[in-house]
Amino acid sequence: MSLEDPYSILEKYLSAESYFVVGREFTRVDALEKALGRALFTEDYFVKYVYGNALFVKQVLSPHPHARIKGLHLKEALDVSGVRAVVTHRDIPGVNQVGYALPDQPLLAEGKVRYVGEVVALVAAESWERAVEASQLVRVDYEPLPYVLDPLEAMSRSDVLVHEEAGSNIAFRTKVRKGDVERGFSEAEVVVENEYRTHHQDHAYLETEAALAIPDSEGRVTIIGAAQHPHLARDITARVLGLPASRVKVVVPYLGGGFGGKDDEGPLTVAKAALVAYLTGRPAFIVYSREESIKVHPKREATIIRYKSGANREGKLTAIDVTIIHDTGAYANRAPFILWRATMHASGPYEVPNARVDGYAVYTNKVYQGSFRGFGNPSVQFAVERQMDLLAEKLGLDPVEFRLKNILRPGSRTLTNQVLDHSVGVGEALEKVSAKSGWSQKRREYSEYNKKDGRWRRGIGVGVAWHGISTSRGVPDWSNAVVKVEKDGSVTVYTGIVEMGQGSPTSSHVQIVSELLGVPPENVRVVFGTTEAPDTGATHASRGTGIGGIGVEVAAGRIRERLARLAGDVLGVEPDKLVFRDGRVYQRDNPERYVRWVDLVREAYAKGVELSATGYFFLPKGKFDDTVGQGFAYPAFSYIVVVSEVEVDTETGVVRVLRVWPALASGRIISPVQVEGQVEGAVVQGIGYTLYEQLVFDEKGSILNADFTDYVIPTVMEVPEVEKPIYVEDVYKYGAMGAKGVGEMALIPIPASIANAVSHALGVNVTRLPITPEYVLELTGSLKR
Ligand code: MTE
Ligand code: MOS
C-alpha cells in the first residue's frame, strides 16, 4: 500500500500517542463574528446586497387536508400592482417531483392537495406587502375529498387513500426476524407489554427557511440558501428546472439551525427561489414566516409503539416483539429511512437473542414526517428504556445493574446480528456515569423520601442509547474534500459539509488540518457548504465530523506525506521521525533540527511537489438481507448514557428537570468545547420534546399553534444543570481521527431518562410523550395524597 493510501493514512493517525490540537481546548473560527453579530446568514445577503432588486416570494397554502384541484385562477393576483409572476405546477420547466425516498411528492401541488399547508402556488412581487396581498387573491377550485388523520384508521381503510397509486396507506414496511421469539418468551421469567405514544416536534430553529436565487444571462442560477446538503439542493433544483446540475450552483452560508428540518425542506426552499428566478430572470428571495415554517415543513415522527419483552431469572433478555407505527403524513419524504433506523435500533444497545420487529410508515392527511435530530431513534429508545426499567422492577434488580447484564460489548451481536468487532464503550460509560451521579444512593434516598407522600416527589432515571452513525446498510457513503496549501503557507479546505451551529467545519475540520500540517488554526480557512467543493454528502446523521472529516484527514495526510519526504531530504532525517507543529517541521528527538513551514512550502513549489490533494474515502460496508432484517446495519454505533434527576409537583403536575449527567462513547472527541455545547443543546431540545412541545391539530389536521406563543419550547429557565460529559473514547477505525458522531446523541435518551425519573418519582408507568402537567395529573389521579 502506498503511503498516500487512505486506509494507511486513517490507520496512522487513529491512535497517535499525543495530539497537539485534536482533543484540546480550541476556539472555533466563527466564534467572534457570530458573537459580534457580523456573520452573514441567507437573509443578510438579501438585505445587504440585493434588497430593492429582488422579487419577494410568498407561498399559497392549501386550506384543505385532502382535495382535488379543479381549477387555478390567477388573474386577480396578477393584477395587483408590482406582482411579476404567479407560479404553479404548470410553469415548472423540468419535473415536478421532489420525493426523497419515493416519487410521491410534487414541489407545487398538482392534481390533489394532501394536507393543510401544502404549497399550491408561489407569488412573486416587487414588495413583500404586494406578494402577501396577491397570495390571498389566488383562487383555487377545490373539490374536497374524504381524509384520514389517524394512522391506525389510515392503515385499516382502503376507501380513503392519500396516494391512490400506492394502493394502500402503508407507504413502507420494515422488519427484523431473529431467532425464535416464541421460544424466547417461553424461557422468560418476567414479561412486560405496553403501548407507547409519541408526538410530533417542530425544529423551531431561530432562522426559518430561506433562499436567495440569482439568475444570469447564460441560463445559470446561483442560490444562496439554507440547506444541509448543497449538492442535493442543487440536484433537486436542476431536476425541477430541467437543467444539467452543472448549471446550478448552491452556496449554503451559516444556518440559524438545521436540526434535520433543513435537510428535508432546504432543497425545496432552494428550488422554489430558483424556479421564480429562472422564470422571471430576476433575483428572487423567499423566507418562510414562522407560521408557514411550522405548517409547511416536515416534523419529527409521531409514533405508536407496541412493545413486549421478556427476561429470564439471570436477568438476561430472552425476546422482544415490537410493532412500530409512524404517522408519516402526506408524503413519504425520508420516512422509509427514519422507520428503518427506528426498526434496527428497536432493541436498544442490548444483546437480544430472539426478536421480531415490524415497522409501518403510514400516510395520513397531515403535515409529513421528516428528519429531526435522532431520526426515529428518540421515540423508540423511549419505549426500549421504559421496558428495561419495568423488567428490572419485576426481577427485583436495579435498573443499571439489569442493563449492565445485557449491554453490548466488543464482540456482541446486535439486533440485526451484526458483530461489533470494535468501538463499543457503552458498558464503561454506563458504569462511570452511574458512579459519578451517585445513582444507587439517590435511587434509594428518593424512594424513601417519596414514601412521605408530600407534595413534591423526586426521581432519578437512566436512559441508554445507541445510534448507527452515517447512512444505513448498503447505502453508499463516502467522504470527500480538497485541501490546498497556498504559496504563503496558509491552507484552504473545500468541503460540502455545512455549518449550522454545530461547528464541524469551523472547529474539528480546522483542528484536523492544523494537527496534521502543524499550521496555526488562523492560517486555515474552510470553504464549506458549496457545490463548488466536492460532494461530501449531507450534514446529517451526526456524520459532519466523523465522516465529513475523513476527506479532510486523507487530503491533509497526503500533503503531509509529500512534505515529510521533502523535509526529510532537506534535513537528512527519516520522514517518519518528523514532527509537524507550530509552523515548523522538526526532528522528534532533536527539535533544533527543523525547517520552517513557509520555507518548506516554498521549497515544494520550487521542486514541483504538488500541494493540493483530494481526500476521497468510500466507506466499506457489509451485506444486509431485507427479507429478515439481518446483517450489516451501520458502519459503527455511537453510544450515550444520561442520568436525569427530576422533581414533580403533584399538585400542579409540573415536572422540573434538575440535573443531567451525560456520558458519551462516541469515539475520539476532537473538540471538547464543541461537544459540551452539542450535549447541552441536545439536552434542552430533548427536554422540550419530552415535557413541553406539542403540535395541536384541529379536526381538519390543520395546526392550531403555528407560532411561538402557543408552541411552547423551553426557555433558559427550564435549563437544568448539565454536568460535564464523561468521555469513553472508543475510537472508530475509519472515523476522522477515530471520531464517530456526537451531534444528535444527547437528545436520544432524554425522553427515556426523564420518563424513567418521573415514573420513579411517582410510582407510575409513563407511556406517553409529552409528559405535560395534564398527563401527570392523569397518572397521579390514582395516587393517594
Ligand atoms: N447543533 C446546532 N447548533 N444546530 C443544528 O442545526 N443539528 C443537529 C446536530 N447539532 C444541529 C446541531 C443534527 S440533527 C445533526 S445530524 C448534527 O448536528 C450534524 O452535525 P455534525 O454531524 O457535523 O455534528
Ligand atoms: Mo440530523 S436529523 O441527522 O440532520
Side-chain angles (χ1 to χ4, degrees), residues 53 90 295 348 383 478 548:
N53 195 22
R90 295 186 298 226
K295 286 193 166 167
W478 64 88

Side-chain angles (χ1 to χ4, degrees), residues 66-69 104 110-114 143-147 157-170 330-331 363 365:
H66 200 192
R68 217 169 287 292
I69 299 174
D104 65 353
E110 184 171 348
K112 285 214 296 190
V113 288
R114 296 181 176 86
E143 176 196 320
L145 297 169
Y147 55 91
R157 284 184 77 160
S158 52
D159 56 329
V160 182
L161 293 177
V162 182
H163 295 266
E164 285 88 1
E165 56 298 347
S168 144
N169 288 320
I170 298 172
Y331 294 103
Y363 287 128
N365 291 110

Side-chain angles (χ1 to χ4, degrees), residues 228 259-260 263 371-375 500 539-542 744:
Q228 289 178 223
F259 306 115
D263 204 15
S371 319
F372 198 143
R373 205 176 204 170
F375 207 75
M500 48 190 189
T539 306
H540 68 192
S542 300
E744 297 164 278

Side-chain angles (χ1 to χ4, degrees), residues 513-678:
V513 172
S514 184
E515 178 74 48
L516 294 188
L517 300 181
V519 178
E522 55 275 18
N523 288 350
V524 179
R525 188 168 78 98
V526 180
V527 178
F528 56 82
T530 168
T531 50
E532 306 292 84
D535 189 348
T536 318
T539 306
H540 68 192
S542 300
R543 68 189 286 292
T545 288
I547 309 295
I550 301 174
V552 178
E553 181 182 342
V554 169
R558 285 181 169 156
I559 293 175
R560 177 177 160 132
E561 286 303 329
R562 295 172 202 164
L563 285 174
R565 266 171 277 153
L566 182 65
D569 284 349
V570 172
L571 298 172
V573 177
E574 284 282 296
D576 265 355
K577 304 231 154 65
L578 292 169
V579 175
F580 286 63
R581 193 181 177 184
D582 293 338
R584 287 177 181 204
V585 179
Y586 57 82
Q587 191 181 344
R588 184 171 300 121
D589 31 28
N590 181 11
E592 290 310 308
R593 204 175 173 88
Y594 71 89
V595 51
R596 294 194 319 153
W597 170 257
V598 282
D599 297 332
L600 184 62
V601 168
R602 201 170 300 132
E603 183 75 5
Y605 270 92
K607 293 258 168 70
V609 176
E610 189 190 355
L611 287 188
S612 62
T614 318
Y616 179 79
F617 185 72
F618 192 78
L619 269 98
K621 293 188 175 185
K623 285 204 174 63
F624 192 87
D625 181 352
D626 268 310
T627 61
V628 286
Q630 296 285 279
F632 181 100
Y634 291 94
F637 292 85
S638 249
Y639 304 91
I640 183 156
V641 184
V642 294
V643 169
S644 298
E645 230 183 296
V646 303
E647 186 171 67
V648 187
D649 181 344
T650 54
E651 221 139 86
T652 61
V654 169
V655 175
R656 273 187 67 83
V657 181
L658 304 176
R659 225 165 148 183
V660 173
W661 284 267
L664 277 163
S666 299
R668 175 92 55 225
I669 300 299
I670 293 179
S671 184
V673 182
Q674 267 352 281
V675 171
E676 274 174 48
Q678 284 296 296

Side-chain angles (χ1 to χ4, degrees), residues 426-553:
V426 60
E428 190 182 334
L430 179 53
E431 278 161 10
K432 285 191 166 156
V433 79
S434 118
K436 186 180 171 193
S437 63
W439 168 267
S440 311
Q441 195 194 338
K442 284 190 175 133
R443 188 89 186 166
R444 271 196 311 274
E445 264 177 27
Y446 295 164
S447 296
E448 281 307 309
Y449 172 84
N450 293 334
K451 278 189 195 144
K452 283 191 277 184
D453 266 354
R455 170 173 170 179
W456 307 91
R457 308 285 169 91
R458 286 225 163 178
I460 186 165
V462 65
V464 188
W466 61 331
H467 197 59
I469 58 157
S470 191
T471 52
S472 53
R473 51 190 154 156
V475 179
D477 195 14
W478 64 88
S479 186
N480 207 349
V482 166
V483 173
K484 65 188 175 86
V485 179
E486 315 294 351
K487 286 200 196 70
D488 66 355
S490 63
V491 183
T492 315
V493 181
Y494 294 86
T495 175
I497 293 298
V498 311
E499 160 40 32
M500 48 190 189
Q502 92 286 22
S504 295
T506 54
S507 71
S508 62
H509 286 31
V510 179
Q511 287 172 277
I512 291 168
V513 172
S514 184
E515 178 74 48
L516 294 188
L517 300 181
V519 178
E522 55 275 18
N523 288 350
V524 179
R525 188 168 78 98
V526 180
V527 178
F528 56 82
T530 168
T531 50
E532 306 292 84
D535 189 348
T536 318
T539 306
H540 68 192
S542 300
R543 68 189 286 292
T545 288
I547 309 295
I550 301 174
V552 178
E553 181 182 342

